[in-house]
Amino acid sequence: MFRRAFWFTAGAAAGVWATTKVNRQLKKLTPESLAAQAADKAVEAGHRLKDFALDVKAGMTQREDELNDALGLHQAPDGPDNVTALPGPRRLRAIENDHTTHRPTFSYDRNEDH
């Protein structure tokens, strides 16, 4: 008698557990729930994209500062933050004496190909 009551109770508990589990999964698959999940994923992706863009911008600013320091281009002390000063005389001499740039000696006529 107790054995039958035990297995009946165990079966009923398993049925209740399985029913609630299935109902939860079905609620997750309703159109409203799927739309909410998609919206959450889109917001999360937007936050990740924003963080990536901020990281890229910070890296660009850091690299630009490194290049400005290497080239001798420094911020003007009295000017706005986004305007750089002209290069110093040493840098200008280096630019004027640069003979490594190759200028083509031929001319290109666009109409030759037709």
XYZ file of all heavy atoms in Angstrom:
893
model
N 0.816 -1.197 0.000
C 0.000 0.000 0.000
C 0.861 1.263 0.000
O 0.575 2.184 -0.763
C -0.910 -0.053 1.220
C -1.679 1.183 1.453
S -3.162 1.132 0.491
C -3.954 2.511 1.138
N 1.887 1.271 0.879
C 2.747 2.455 0.920
C 3.562 2.589 -0.366
O 3.860 3.699 -0.797
C 3.683 2.392 2.135
C 2.975 2.629 3.420
C 2.784 1.600 4.325
C 2.475 3.887 3.722
C 2.117 1.821 5.503
C 1.810 4.109 4.903
C 1.630 3.076 5.801
N 3.928 1.467 -0.940
C 4.693 1.496 -2.178
C 3.869 2.139 -3.288
O 4.369 2.983 -4.037
C 5.086 0.074 -2.551
C 5.941 0.028 -3.801
C 6.298 -1.366 -4.183
N 7.341 -1.861 -3.294
C 7.807 -3.090 -3.295
N 7.294 -3.980 -4.125
N 8.750 -3.463 -2.492
N 2.623 1.786 -3.409
C 1.752 2.383 -4.433
C 1.545 3.875 -4.193
O 1.578 4.675 -5.122
C 0.397 1.681 -4.457
C 0.459 0.329 -5.046
C -0.913 -0.266 -5.098
N -0.842 -1.645 -5.591
C -1.856 -2.450 -5.612
N -3.038 -2.053 -5.173
N -1.724 -3.672 -6.085
N 1.360 4.262 -2.953
C 1.177 5.680 -2.620
C 2.447 6.470 -2.931
O 2.394 7.602 -3.450
C 0.810 5.840 -1.153
N 3.604 5.869 -2.655
C 4.875 6.539 -2.953
C 5.024 6.779 -4.451
O 5.344 7.880 -4.887
C 6.050 5.706 -2.419
C 7.380 6.210 -2.905
C 7.959 7.342 -2.339
C 8.042 5.562 -3.934
C 9.177 7.808 -2.794
C 9.252 6.034 -4.393
C 9.832 7.162 -3.820
N 4.797 5.748 -5.258
C 4.973 5.880 -6.699
C 3.899 6.782 -7.310
O 4.178 7.513 -8.270
C 4.976 4.518 -7.375
C 6.256 3.784 -7.109
C 6.413 2.649 -6.413
C 7.558 4.193 -7.534
N 7.732 2.289 -6.354
C 8.465 3.225 -7.044
C 8.054 5.254 -8.262
C 9.829 3.298 -7.263
C 9.420 5.335 -8.488
C 10.297 4.366 -7.989
N 2.713 6.756 -6.761
C 1.674 7.679 -7.232
C 2.093 9.116 -6.969
O 1.976 9.989 -7.842
C 0.339 7.375 -6.546
C -0.747 8.327 -6.935
C -1.395 8.213 -8.150
C -1.112 9.365 -6.077
C -2.392 9.107 -8.514
C -2.102 10.268 -6.444
C -2.747 10.137 -7.665
N 2.596 9.401 -5.771
C 3.037 10.757 -5.420
C 4.235 11.165 -6.262
O 4.312 12.299 -6.749
C 3.394 10.821 -3.919
O 2.285 10.345 -3.162
C 3.731 12.233 -3.504
N 5.182 10.251 -6.465
C 6.362 10.556 -7.287
C 5.944 10.848 -8.727
O 6.449 11.788 -9.363
C 7.355 9.402 -7.228
N 5.014 10.087 -9.262
C 4.536 10.315 -10.625
C 3.804 11.640 -10.760
O 3.963 12.369 -11.739
N 2.961 11.954 -9.765
C 2.231 13.223 -9.801
C 3.200 14.401 -9.715
O 3.051 15.399 -10.442
C 1.220 13.272 -8.656
N 4.226 14.292 -8.855
C 5.214 15.367 -8.726
C 5.997 15.536 -10.027
O 6.248 16.658 -10.480
C 6.157 15.080 -7.560
N 6.381 14.413 -10.655
C 7.099 14.481 -11.929
C 6.214 15.109 -13.009
O 6.686 15.900 -13.833
C 7.554 13.085 -12.343
N 4.941 14.779 -13.007
C 4.021 15.369 -13.987
C 3.864 16.857 -13.786
O 3.851 17.633 -14.754
N 3.724 17.292 -12.540
C 3.604 18.728 -12.252
C 4.878 19.449 -12.667
O 4.845 20.514 -13.291
C 3.288 18.953 -10.758
C 3.425 20.413 -10.379
C 1.892 18.450 -10.435
N 6.031 18.854 -12.340
C 7.312 19.475 -12.690
C 7.463 19.595 -14.217
O 7.841 20.637 -14.735
C 8.450 18.635 -12.111
C 9.809 19.149 -12.497
C 10.477 20.197 -11.963
C 10.635 18.638 -13.538
N 11.680 20.365 -12.593
C 11.809 19.411 -13.580
C 10.490 17.580 -14.442
C 12.833 19.178 -14.479
C 11.518 17.348 -15.336
C 12.670 18.138 -15.346
N 7.138 18.526 -14.931
C 7.257 18.534 -16.384
C 6.283 19.535 -17.005
O 6.631 20.252 -17.961
C 7.015 17.131 -16.937
N 5.068 19.610 -16.465
C 4.071 20.542 -16.993
C 4.518 21.989 -16.818
O 4.405 22.792 -17.749
C 2.710 20.314 -16.303
O 2.319 18.958 -16.490
C 1.651 21.223 -16.875
N 5.038 22.316 -15.643
C 5.497 23.695 -15.425
C 6.694 24.017 -16.313
O 6.817 25.122 -16.843
C 5.862 23.925 -13.952
O 6.841 22.975 -13.544
C 4.643 23.832 -13.064
N 7.588 23.035 -16.498
C 8.753 23.247 -17.352
C 8.320 23.513 -18.801
O 8.824 24.418 -19.462
C 9.641 22.004 -17.278
C 10.980 22.149 -17.875
C 11.959 22.551 -16.820
C 13.350 22.417 -17.382
N 14.318 23.122 -16.628
N 7.389 22.732 -19.298
C 6.887 22.898 -20.668
C 6.165 24.234 -20.807
O 6.337 24.951 -21.807
C 5.980 21.711 -21.058
C 5.210 22.004 -22.338
C 6.807 20.442 -21.206
N 5.358 24.602 -19.831
C 4.632 25.877 -19.904
C 5.595 27.071 -19.920
O 5.354 28.056 -20.620
C 3.643 25.999 -18.752
C 2.406 25.154 -18.980
O 2.056 24.852 -20.117
N 1.750 24.752 -17.897
N 6.669 26.994 -19.144
C 7.666 28.074 -19.159
C 8.305 28.200 -20.536
O 8.505 29.305 -21.032
C 8.741 27.818 -18.103
C 8.299 28.098 -16.711
C 9.436 27.898 -15.741
N 8.951 27.909 -14.372
C 9.607 27.419 -13.338
N 10.798 26.855 -13.521
N 9.105 27.482 -12.144
N 8.636 27.063 -21.134
C 9.245 27.100 -22.466
C 8.262 27.634 -23.507
O 8.657 28.378 -24.414
C 9.729 25.697 -22.875
C 10.919 25.206 -22.080
C 12.144 26.092 -22.244
O 12.392 26.656 -23.295
N 12.900 26.242 -21.171
N 6.998 27.272 -23.387
C 6.003 27.786 -24.329
C 5.819 29.292 -24.188
O 5.607 29.995 -25.179
C 4.663 27.056 -24.133
C 4.619 25.612 -24.625
C 3.269 24.977 -24.277
C 4.863 25.556 -26.119
N 5.881 29.793 -22.956
C 5.761 31.237 -22.753
C 6.946 31.976 -23.360
O 6.817 33.096 -23.839
C 5.652 31.563 -21.267
C 4.294 31.245 -20.687
C 4.216 31.608 -19.225
C 2.869 31.194 -18.644
N 2.784 31.466 -17.208
N 8.121 31.337 -23.360
C 9.300 31.957 -23.962
C 9.180 32.040 -25.486
O 9.843 32.846 -26.119
C 10.568 31.166 -23.614
C 11.031 31.353 -22.205
C 12.331 30.596 -21.977
C 12.791 30.707 -20.545
N 14.019 29.942 -20.299
N 8.344 31.204 -26.067
C 8.210 31.165 -27.518
C 7.022 31.959 -28.042
O 6.730 31.895 -29.232
C 8.114 29.707 -27.990
C 9.356 28.857 -27.720
C 9.110 27.415 -28.135
C 10.559 29.421 -28.443
N 6.343 32.699 -27.184
C 5.244 33.543 -27.671
C 5.833 34.714 -28.458
O 6.977 35.116 -28.241
C 4.402 34.085 -26.501
O 5.244 34.868 -25.658
C 3.761 32.955 -25.713
N 5.072 35.287 -29.385
C 5.586 36.406 -30.178
C 6.036 37.594 -29.324
O 7.050 38.233 -29.620
C 4.405 36.793 -31.074
C 3.594 35.550 -31.182
C 3.765 34.851 -29.870
N 5.299 37.887 -28.260
C 5.673 39.017 -27.401
C 7.014 38.763 -26.722
O 7.863 39.644 -26.639
C 4.597 39.274 -26.344
C 3.257 39.717 -26.889
C 2.387 38.540 -27.310
O 2.717 37.387 -26.964
O 1.400 38.778 -28.017
N 7.194 37.534 -26.241
C 8.443 37.196 -25.571
C 9.617 37.204 -26.549
O 10.704 37.681 -26.223
C 8.321 35.812 -24.917
O 9.524 35.454 -24.303
N 9.404 36.678 -27.738
C 10.462 36.689 -28.750
C 10.821 38.116 -29.150
O 12.007 38.433 -29.340
C 10.038 35.882 -29.972
C 9.935 34.373 -29.760
C 9.402 33.703 -31.019
C 11.275 33.794 -29.372
N 9.821 38.991 -29.265
C 10.088 40.388 -29.602
C 10.878 41.070 -28.486
O 11.813 41.837 -28.754
C 8.780 41.123 -29.857
N 10.525 40.782 -27.249
C 11.252 41.375 -26.123
C 12.694 40.873 -26.083
O 13.625 41.645 -25.830
C 10.544 41.049 -24.813
N 12.900 39.595 -26.351
C 14.259 39.049 -26.383
C 15.081 39.692 -27.493
O 16.251 40.028 -27.304
C 14.222 37.534 -26.573
C 13.724 36.761 -25.378
C 13.607 35.273 -25.675
O 14.064 34.775 -26.691
N 12.973 34.547 -24.753
N 14.468 39.865 -28.663
C 15.174 40.487 -29.787
C 15.527 41.940 -29.458
O 16.627 42.407 -29.779
C 14.322 40.411 -31.048
N 14.608 42.645 -28.827
C 14.878 44.033 -28.454
C 16.010 44.106 -27.436
O 16.888 44.982 -27.534
C 13.612 44.674 -27.889
N 16.020 43.197 -26.474
C 17.107 43.175 -25.493
C 18.447 42.906 -26.155
O 19.459 43.538 -25.831
C 16.837 42.113 -24.424
C 15.690 42.491 -23.498
O 15.332 43.688 -23.465
O 15.159 41.593 -22.824
N 18.469 41.970 -27.096
C 19.713 41.660 -27.809
C 20.172 42.851 -28.641
O 21.366 43.143 -28.729
C 19.536 40.443 -28.712
C 19.259 39.176 -27.972
C 20.498 38.673 -27.280
C 20.198 37.337 -26.625
N 21.323 36.823 -25.889
N 19.214 43.570 -29.265
C 19.574 44.735 -30.068
C 20.153 45.843 -29.190
O 21.142 46.488 -29.562
C 18.354 45.245 -30.836
N 19.562 46.067 -28.045
C 20.085 47.088 -27.122
C 21.477 46.692 -26.644
O 22.392 47.522 -26.593
C 19.107 47.277 -25.934
C 19.747 48.101 -24.837
C 17.829 47.938 -26.417
N 21.653 45.424 -26.322
C 22.963 44.943 -25.875
C 24.011 45.111 -26.978
O 25.143 45.547 -26.723
C 22.844 43.472 -25.480
C 24.114 42.872 -24.927
C 23.920 41.408 -24.542
O 22.792 41.027 -24.177
O 24.909 40.665 -24.618
N 23.642 44.786 -28.211
C 24.564 44.958 -29.338
C 24.890 46.436 -29.548
O 26.033 46.791 -29.863
C 23.968 44.361 -30.605
N 23.899 47.302 -29.374
C 24.148 48.734 -29.499
C 25.126 49.235 -28.453
O 26.009 50.053 -28.749
N 24.992 48.739 -27.219
C 25.933 49.134 -26.168
C 27.343 48.645 -26.485
O 28.321 49.371 -26.288
C 25.485 48.585 -24.814
C 24.294 49.293 -24.244
N 24.275 50.650 -24.013
C 23.078 48.838 -23.870
C 23.103 50.993 -23.514
N 22.345 49.910 -23.429
N 27.444 47.427 -26.992
C 28.765 46.900 -27.354
C 29.373 47.695 -28.499
O 30.565 47.984 -28.497
C 28.655 45.430 -27.752
C 28.631 44.516 -26.562
C 28.930 43.089 -26.986
N 27.860 42.260 -26.466
C 27.303 41.254 -27.095
N 27.713 40.916 -28.275
N 26.342 40.558 -26.536
N 28.551 48.068 -29.468
C 29.035 48.861 -30.595
C 29.493 50.242 -30.134
O 30.524 50.745 -30.584
C 27.943 48.980 -31.662
C 28.328 49.647 -32.967
C 29.435 48.852 -33.649
C 27.127 49.747 -33.880
N 28.754 50.839 -29.220
C 29.131 52.145 -28.678
C 30.454 52.042 -27.923
O 31.336 52.897 -28.084
C 28.030 52.660 -27.753
C 28.340 54.006 -27.137
C 27.248 54.426 -26.177
C 27.630 55.704 -25.461
N 26.674 56.035 -24.409
N 30.609 50.997 -27.111
C 31.863 50.802 -26.385
C 33.029 50.608 -27.343
O 34.122 51.146 -27.137
C 31.757 49.596 -25.444
C 30.818 49.832 -24.285
O 30.515 51.022 -23.989
O 30.370 48.846 -23.668
N 32.805 49.847 -28.425
C 33.848 49.642 -29.425
C 34.230 50.960 -30.085
O 35.413 51.260 -30.259
C 33.383 48.638 -30.477
C 34.341 48.478 -31.620
C 35.533 47.808 -31.432
C 34.051 49.004 -32.870
C 36.424 47.658 -32.480
C 34.928 48.866 -33.913
C 36.122 48.179 -33.734
N 33.232 51.770 -30.450
C 33.512 53.055 -31.087
C 34.284 53.974 -30.143
O 35.202 54.680 -30.573
C 32.207 53.718 -31.527
N 33.939 53.969 -28.867
C 34.671 54.792 -27.901
C 36.113 54.306 -27.742
O 37.032 55.118 -27.622
C 33.951 54.796 -26.554
C 32.614 55.544 -26.525
C 31.930 55.355 -25.172
C 32.816 57.018 -26.822
N 36.311 52.994 -27.754
C 37.668 52.449 -27.673
C 38.490 52.842 -28.900
O 39.668 53.200 -28.790
C 37.640 50.928 -27.539
C 37.166 50.463 -26.178
O 37.144 51.301 -25.238
O 36.817 49.276 -26.043
N 37.872 52.762 -30.078
C 38.570 53.144 -31.310
C 38.925 54.628 -31.271
O 40.046 55.023 -31.618
C 37.711 52.817 -32.549
C 38.276 53.454 -33.801
C 37.611 51.311 -32.720
N 37.994 55.453 -30.825
C 38.249 56.882 -30.760
C 39.378 57.192 -29.775
O 40.244 58.030 -30.062
C 36.977 57.623 -30.344
C 37.116 59.120 -30.376
C 35.807 59.808 -30.055
C 35.990 61.305 -30.078
N 34.774 62.009 -29.731
N 39.391 56.512 -28.634
C 40.468 56.725 -27.660
C 41.810 56.289 -28.237
O 42.826 56.976 -28.064
C 40.164 55.966 -26.372
N 41.822 55.164 -28.936
C 43.057 54.703 -29.578
C 43.533 55.660 -30.653
O 44.739 55.906 -30.798
N 42.592 56.199 -31.434
C 42.958 57.169 -32.470
C 43.566 58.422 -31.850
O 44.569 58.940 -32.340
C 41.721 57.536 -33.308
C 41.270 56.462 -34.245
S 39.690 56.816 -35.069
C 39.859 58.488 -35.590
N 42.963 58.897 -30.773
C 43.474 60.089 -30.106
C 44.859 59.827 -29.541
O 45.764 60.673 -29.691
C 42.517 60.517 -28.980
O 41.223 60.733 -29.544
C 42.987 61.780 -28.306
N 45.045 58.675 -28.933
C 46.355 58.336 -28.370
C 47.406 58.248 -29.477
O 48.503 58.791 -29.341
C 46.276 57.007 -27.626
C 47.604 56.567 -27.034
C 47.508 55.209 -26.385
O 46.455 54.594 -26.347
N 48.620 54.732 -25.855
N 47.077 57.591 -30.580
C 48.039 57.451 -31.689
C 48.324 58.805 -32.317
O 49.459 59.098 -32.703
C 47.495 56.472 -32.723
C 48.434 56.221 -33.860
C 49.706 55.565 -33.393
N 50.563 55.303 -34.544
C 51.863 55.321 -34.500
N 52.493 55.547 -33.372
N 52.566 55.071 -35.577
N 47.309 59.651 -32.446
C 47.511 60.981 -33.009
C 48.461 61.785 -32.122
O 49.345 62.486 -32.632
C 46.178 61.698 -33.150
C 46.285 63.048 -33.832
C 44.932 63.711 -34.020
O 43.908 63.111 -33.677
O 44.929 64.847 -34.516
N 48.297 61.682 -30.810
C 49.209 62.366 -29.895
C 50.630 61.841 -30.041
O 51.599 62.613 -30.041
C 48.740 62.215 -28.449
C 47.461 62.987 -28.165
O 47.130 63.904 -28.962
O 46.786 62.664 -27.161
N 50.776 60.522 -30.174
C 52.111 59.942 -30.365
C 52.745 60.454 -31.646
O 53.930 60.797 -31.672
C 52.024 58.422 -30.388
C 51.657 57.788 -29.066
C 51.380 56.303 -29.193
O 51.509 55.749 -30.305
O 51.036 55.685 -28.168
N 51.972 60.484 -32.727
C 52.501 60.971 -34.002
C 52.833 62.457 -33.933
O 53.849 62.901 -34.479
C 51.501 60.690 -35.130
C 51.316 59.222 -35.489
C 50.190 59.076 -36.500
C 52.605 58.633 -36.038
N 51.988 63.238 -33.289
C 52.274 64.670 -33.147
C 53.558 64.885 -32.357
O 54.359 65.759 -32.695
C 51.108 65.391 -32.477
C 49.939 65.596 -33.411
O 50.090 65.555 -34.631
N 48.763 65.783 -32.857
N 53.777 64.102 -31.307
C 55.007 64.214 -30.541
C 56.212 63.809 -31.382
O 57.264 64.450 -31.335
C 54.941 63.350 -29.276
C 53.997 63.915 -28.235
O 53.651 65.116 -28.339
O 53.596 63.158 -27.323
N 56.062 62.749 -32.173
C 57.174 62.286 -33.003
C 57.509 63.283 -34.104
O 58.674 63.441 -34.470
C 56.841 60.929 -33.607
N 56.517 63.974 -34.629
C 56.744 64.928 -35.715
C 57.015 66.339 -35.213
O 57.283 67.229 -36.005
C 55.531 64.945 -36.654
C 55.267 63.651 -37.406
C 53.976 63.758 -38.194
C 56.428 63.326 -38.330
N 56.904 66.548 -33.937
C 57.151 67.880 -33.394
C 55.958 68.804 -33.522
O 56.101 70.018 -33.442
N 54.804 68.262 -33.745
C 53.582 69.065 -33.823
C 52.952 69.091 -32.439
O 52.532 68.067 -31.926
C 52.592 68.462 -34.818
C 53.092 68.301 -36.245
C 52.082 67.527 -37.053
C 53.350 69.649 -36.871
N 52.907 70.256 -31.829
C 52.368 70.354 -30.477
C 51.156 71.260 -30.479
O 50.991 72.100 -31.352
C 53.427 70.894 -29.514
C 54.625 70.007 -29.432
N 54.596 68.804 -28.776
C 55.874 70.128 -29.946
C 55.782 68.232 -28.879
N 56.576 69.007 -29.590
N 50.341 71.104 -29.467
C 49.154 71.945 -29.325
C 49.569 73.383 -29.067
O 50.530 73.647 -28.363
C 48.304 71.455 -28.147
C 47.731 70.076 -28.318
C 46.481 70.082 -29.150
O 45.780 71.071 -29.191
N 46.207 68.988 -29.816
N 48.826 74.332 -29.649
C 49.064 75.741 -29.366
C 48.579 76.023 -27.946
O 47.459 75.660 -27.583
C 48.306 76.619 -30.360
N 49.401 76.677 -27.099
C 48.990 76.866 -25.716
C 47.790 77.783 -25.542
O 46.997 77.607 -24.638
C 50.236 77.449 -25.049
C 51.080 77.980 -26.162
C 50.728 77.201 -27.380
N 47.637 78.800 -26.403
C 46.540 79.746 -26.237
C 45.342 79.427 -27.125
O 44.284 80.001 -26.957
C 47.019 81.173 -26.553
C 48.078 81.635 -25.568
O 48.053 81.128 -24.422
O 48.919 82.456 -25.947
N 45.500 78.520 -28.075
C 44.430 78.247 -29.023
C 43.480 77.190 -28.513
O 43.640 76.640 -27.430
N 42.475 76.889 -29.312
C 41.532 75.830 -28.942
C 42.246 74.478 -28.904
O 43.324 74.304 -29.454
C 40.492 75.872 -30.052
C 40.728 77.099 -30.825
C 42.111 77.574 -30.529
N 41.614 73.519 -28.286
C 42.231 72.207 -28.107
C 42.391 71.437 -29.411
O 43.273 70.604 -29.529
C 41.398 71.367 -27.143
C 41.482 71.910 -25.717
O 42.446 72.646 -25.426
O 40.590 71.578 -24.914
N 41.550 71.692 -30.389
C 41.601 70.877 -31.593
C 42.444 71.492 -32.712
O 42.468 70.997 -33.815
C 40.185 70.597 -32.103
C 39.457 71.878 -32.481
O 39.942 72.969 -32.227
N 38.298 71.723 -33.067
N 43.155 72.567 -32.467
C 44.005 73.211 -33.472
C 45.449 72.975 -33.076
O 45.848 73.263 -31.958
C 43.707 74.720 -33.564
C 44.622 75.385 -34.567
C 42.253 74.944 -33.919
N 46.256 72.452 -33.994
C 47.658 72.208 -33.686
C 48.504 73.358 -34.208
O 48.163 74.019 -35.186
C 48.147 70.896 -34.320
O 47.909 70.965 -35.727
C 47.414 69.711 -33.735
N 49.629 73.584 -33.554
C 50.544 74.652 -33.959
C 51.321 74.205 -35.188
O 51.386 73.023 -35.522
C 51.496 74.967 -32.814
N 51.927 75.166 -35.877
C 52.760 74.849 -37.028
C 54.016 74.133 -36.550
O 54.479 74.336 -35.427
C 53.128 76.138 -37.763
C 51.964 76.857 -38.438
C 52.441 78.175 -39.009
C 51.374 75.999 -39.523
N 54.598 73.310 -37.411
C 55.809 72.617 -36.997
C 56.954 73.599 -36.784
O 56.997 74.664 -37.388
C 56.096 71.663 -38.155
C 55.284 72.131 -39.291
C 54.148 72.920 -38.734
N 57.883 73.207 -35.936
C 59.033 74.051 -35.634
C 59.969 74.170 -36.825
O 59.841 73.462 -37.815
N 60.965 75.087 -36.747
C 61.864 75.309 -37.876
C 62.675 74.057 -38.231
O 62.971 73.825 -39.388
C 62.771 76.428 -37.401
C 62.362 76.781 -36.037
C 61.197 75.974 -35.659
N 63.032 73.241 -37.236
C 63.798 72.035 -37.506
C 62.992 71.088 -38.386
O 63.503 70.490 -39.319
C 64.152 71.366 -36.182
C 65.086 70.214 -36.329
C 65.568 69.775 -34.963
N 65.446 68.342 -34.928
C 64.956 67.645 -33.947
N 64.547 68.219 -32.857
N 64.887 66.349 -34.010
N 61.708 70.960 -38.109
C 60.850 70.084 -38.895
C 60.662 70.638 -40.300
O 60.653 69.895 -41.272
C 59.504 69.923 -38.173
C 58.497 69.106 -38.926
C 58.896 67.655 -38.997
N 57.919 66.946 -39.801
C 58.203 65.983 -40.637
N 59.430 65.568 -40.764
N 57.266 65.399 -41.335
N 60.540 71.953 -40.428
C 60.379 72.549 -41.754
C 61.606 72.291 -42.614
O 61.492 71.980 -43.800
C 60.124 74.050 -41.633
C 58.717 74.444 -41.180
C 58.617 75.957 -41.016
C 57.681 73.963 -42.168
N 62.800 72.391 -42.040
C 64.021 72.105 -42.801
C 64.024 70.659 -43.253
O 64.427 70.345 -44.367
C 65.258 72.400 -41.946
C 65.713 73.834 -42.100
C 67.009 74.072 -41.387
N 66.670 74.639 -40.076
C 67.014 74.134 -38.910
N 67.755 73.068 -38.839
N 66.640 74.697 -37.801
N 63.580 69.763 -42.408
C 63.548 68.352 -42.772
C 62.560 68.102 -43.903
O 62.814 67.297 -44.793
C 63.193 67.505 -41.558
N 61.454 68.807 -43.891
C 60.464 68.639 -44.955
C 60.991 69.215 -46.262
O 60.852 68.617 -47.326
C 59.129 69.307 -44.559
C 58.489 68.543 -43.403
C 58.174 69.349 -45.745
C 57.277 69.222 -42.823
N 61.644 70.377 -46.214
C 62.164 71.020 -47.425
C 63.287 70.207 -48.054
O 63.428 70.164 -49.270
C 62.658 72.423 -47.090
C 61.554 73.394 -46.759
C 62.090 74.710 -46.187
O 63.313 74.833 -46.005
O 61.269 75.595 -45.934
N 64.091 69.542 -47.248
C 65.230 68.790 -47.760
C 64.891 67.335 -48.052
O 65.791 66.545 -48.311
C 66.388 68.845 -46.751
C 66.902 70.260 -46.596
O 66.819 71.055 -47.517
N 67.430 70.565 -45.418
N 63.654 66.992 -48.011
C 63.242 65.616 -48.251
C 63.263 65.342 -49.748
O 62.480 65.897 -50.507
C 61.841 65.385 -47.677
C 61.412 63.939 -47.789
O 62.298 63.078 -47.938
O 60.204 63.681 -47.710
N 64.202 64.480 -50.176
C 64.319 64.142 -51.597
C 63.826 62.725 -51.874
O 64.075 62.188 -52.940
C 65.789 64.249 -52.038
C 66.322 65.636 -51.885
N 65.893 66.692 -52.652
C 67.244 66.144 -51.031
C 66.529 67.797 -52.290
N 67.364 67.497 -51.302
N 63.126 62.128 -50.915
C 62.678 60.743 -51.092
C 61.348 60.655 -51.823
O 60.983 59.572 -52.260
C 62.533 60.048 -49.735
O 61.574 60.766 -48.959
C 63.870 59.989 -49.017
N 60.658 61.764 -51.968
C 59.367 61.678 -52.661
C 59.613 61.535 -54.150
O 60.426 62.237 -54.742
C 58.517 62.926 -52.397
O 59.245 64.075 -52.793
C 58.158 63.016 -50.924
N 58.937 60.615 -54.757
C 59.102 60.326 -56.174
C 57.964 60.982 -56.940
O 56.802 60.680 -56.723
C 59.090 58.819 -56.395
C 59.105 58.424 -57.847
N 60.010 58.933 -58.728
C 58.346 57.563 -58.547
C 59.793 58.409 -59.929
N 58.779 57.581 -59.836
N 58.336 61.864 -57.816
C 57.323 62.518 -58.648
C 57.385 61.899 -60.041
O 58.445 61.847 -60.653
C 57.586 64.020 -58.718
C 57.376 64.687 -57.387
C 57.466 66.198 -57.522
N 57.191 66.809 -56.249
C 58.123 67.162 -55.358
N 59.384 66.949 -55.618
N 57.787 67.710 -54.221
N 56.276 61.439 -60.556
C 56.300 60.799 -61.879
C 56.668 61.804 -62.963
O 56.293 62.970 -62.917
C 54.881 60.276 -62.051
C 54.045 61.030 -61.083
C 54.956 61.457 -59.975
N 57.422 61.321 -63.942
C 57.850 62.199 -65.034
C 56.937 62.088 -66.237
O 57.121 62.795 -67.220
C 59.286 61.830 -65.452
O 59.303 60.447 -65.813
C 60.254 62.098 -64.314
N 55.986 61.190 -66.204
C 55.077 61.033 -67.328
C 53.755 61.734 -67.032
O 53.422 62.021 -65.893
C 54.828 59.545 -67.609
C 54.169 58.829 -66.472
C 52.796 58.770 -66.380
C 54.923 58.207 -65.485
C 52.175 58.121 -65.334
C 54.306 57.550 -64.431
C 52.930 57.508 -64.360
N 53.022 62.002 -68.066
C 51.689 62.562 -67.890
C 50.677 61.511 -68.326
O 50.931 60.743 -69.244
C 51.531 63.838 -68.725
O 51.605 63.522 -70.090
N 49.578 61.516 -67.676
C 48.543 60.535 -67.966
C 47.400 61.237 -68.657
O 46.859 62.211 -68.151
C 48.067 59.866 -66.673
C 46.954 58.876 -66.888
C 47.196 57.662 -67.500
C 45.657 59.189 -66.504
C 46.178 56.760 -67.696
C 44.630 58.285 -66.715
C 44.899 57.070 -67.308
O 43.890 56.175 -67.513
N 47.027 60.741 -69.789
C 45.898 61.290 -70.545
C 44.725 60.316 -70.387
O 44.831 59.156 -70.784
C 46.272 61.458 -72.010
C 45.160 62.141 -72.800
O 44.212 62.662 -72.169
O 45.245 62.169 -74.041
N 43.660 60.786 -69.822
C 42.504 59.929 -69.579
C 41.921 59.383 -70.868
O 41.322 58.324 -70.894
C 41.401 60.698 -68.847
C 41.726 60.973 -67.424
C 40.681 61.796 -66.782
N 39.329 61.439 -67.214
C 38.234 61.830 -66.633
N 38.303 62.623 -65.591
N 37.046 61.489 -67.079
N 42.066 60.111 -71.947
C 41.434 59.698 -73.199
C 42.257 58.674 -73.986
O 41.832 58.228 -75.031
C 41.161 60.921 -74.066
C 40.155 61.839 -73.419
O 39.239 61.369 -72.758
N 40.326 63.131 -73.596
N 43.458 58.326 -73.511
C 44.267 57.360 -74.224
C 43.623 55.980 -74.252
O 43.808 55.226 -75.180
C 45.649 57.229 -73.573
C 46.566 58.364 -73.876
C 47.922 58.162 -73.206
O 48.094 57.145 -72.515
O 48.780 59.008 -73.399
N 42.921 55.652 -73.212
C 42.359 54.309 -73.101
C 41.133 54.104 -73.986
O 40.718 52.969 -74.195
C 41.959 54.025 -71.662
C 43.160 53.988 -70.754
O 44.273 53.769 -71.271
O 42.995 54.177 -69.538
N 40.575 55.127 -74.528
C 39.325 54.979 -75.273
C 39.531 54.947 -76.749
O 40.325 55.479 -77.365
C 38.349 56.108 -74.914
C 38.027 56.106 -73.471
N 37.195 55.198 -72.904
C 38.462 56.892 -72.450
C 37.095 55.425 -71.607
N 37.861 56.459 -71.314
